[in-house]
């Protein structure tokens, strides 16, 4: 039996999660143009797998759509895409790319009777109250529709990763928040997914989720990588003086490596079918 104190703890945890999500959404909004220009995309094979053979027949809800990076790939294949996004400037840029977007937290979003064939979230699901968001996704999916969660992760070549590890260790304070040197990974041996299926398993409307990995590569020039770091909340949340020293060290390490590098990405797709 759950007592009042337990319910209070759950409510307090939910409030704190939403506060953190709002704080980070403000950071993303501040860097919305940079985010749109420099963030990595998603591999074609993943988008094709997610949409299937007749994308033009699908209505897709993109949760936490940002500036519409994933939305545009799906709309380009003929899918009818609606985005939900907390950050107003991010939503404005997505609209400028032709994506319809409604602004607000997905947990509070009103579907107004609309139903979808896909609910997707690319790089955003970890910011949500996953128990609430997963149940809501089930409620707006048609039977046979799919919840599709996408997560990009990539690491530098190991010798550059070693050099960057020294830079980050020498500059960052010991109690700073988690900062990834790569893209949601630090080294080639790191676990690549920041997603779990626990919340999906707790919703009986979904079948057992499946997982797929899609490998690809992208070459970054020094300045492109630094601009991409400024689109990430883990780096933009740093104290400005710390951030300046850190970026000087990162830039010097990439220069020593030849001024560019190729990052090995793996994109993780979790799919659950609405029964």
């Amino acid at each position: 039996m759950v007592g009042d104190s337990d319910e209070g703890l759950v409510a307090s945890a939910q409030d704190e999660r939403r506060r953190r999500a709002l704080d980070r959404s403000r950071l993303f909004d501040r860097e919305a143009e940079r985010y749109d220009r420099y963030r990595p995309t998603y591999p074609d094979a993943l988008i094709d797998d997610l949409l299937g053979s007749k994308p033009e027949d699908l209505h897709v809800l993109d949760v936490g759509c940002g500036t519409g990076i994933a939305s545009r790939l799906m709309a380009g294949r003929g899918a009818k895409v609606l985005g939900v996004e907390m950050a107003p400037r991010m939503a404005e840029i997505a609209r400028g790319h032709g994506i319809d977007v409604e602004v607000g937290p997905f947990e509070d979003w009103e579907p107004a009777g609309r139903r979808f064939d896909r609910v997707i979230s690319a790089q955003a699901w970890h910011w949500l109250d996953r128990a609430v968001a997963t149940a809501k996704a089930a409620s707006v999916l048609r039977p046979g529709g799919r919840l599709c969660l996408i997560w990009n992760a990539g690491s530098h070549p190991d010798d550059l990763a070693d050099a960057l590890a020294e830079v980050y260790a020498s500059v960052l304070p010991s109690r700073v928040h988690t900062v990834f040197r790569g893209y949601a990974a630090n080294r080639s041996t790191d676990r690549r997914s920041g997603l779990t299926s626990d919340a999906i398993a707790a919703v009986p409307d979904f079948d057992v989720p499946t997982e797929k990995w899609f490998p690809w590569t992208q070459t970054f020039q020094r300045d492109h990588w630094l601009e991409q770091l400024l689109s990430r909340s883990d780096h933009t949340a740093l104290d400005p003086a710390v951030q300046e020293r850190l970026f000087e060290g990162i830039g010097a390490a990439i220069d020593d490596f030849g001024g560019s590098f190729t990052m090995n990405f793996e994109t993780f797709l979790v799919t659950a079918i609405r029964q």
Side-chain angles (χ1 to χ4, degrees), residues 36-94:
D36 189 55
R37 182 174 297 180
Y38 294 106
R39 276 293 183 110
T41 184
Y42 303 97
D44 288 338
L46 178 144
I47 301 300
D48 292 338
D49 186 282
L50 185 157
L51 294 177
S53 61
K54 294 183 177 180
E56 65 276 5
D57 294 339
L58 300 180
H59 288 81
V60 179
L61 181 67
D62 186 354
V63 177
C65 67
T67 61
I69 294 173
S71 293
R72 300 195 304 262
L73 296 174
M74 295 181 290
R77 286 161 169 78
K80 302 164 190 69
V81 183
L82 173 66
V84 178
E85 171 56 46
M86 282 183 65
R89 179 59 185 146
M90 302 274 273
E92 181 182 348
I93 291 175

Side-chain angles (χ1 to χ4, degrees), residues 102 143 168 193 247 266:
E102 296 179 8
Y168 278 75
S193 173
F247 276 48
E266 290 177 291

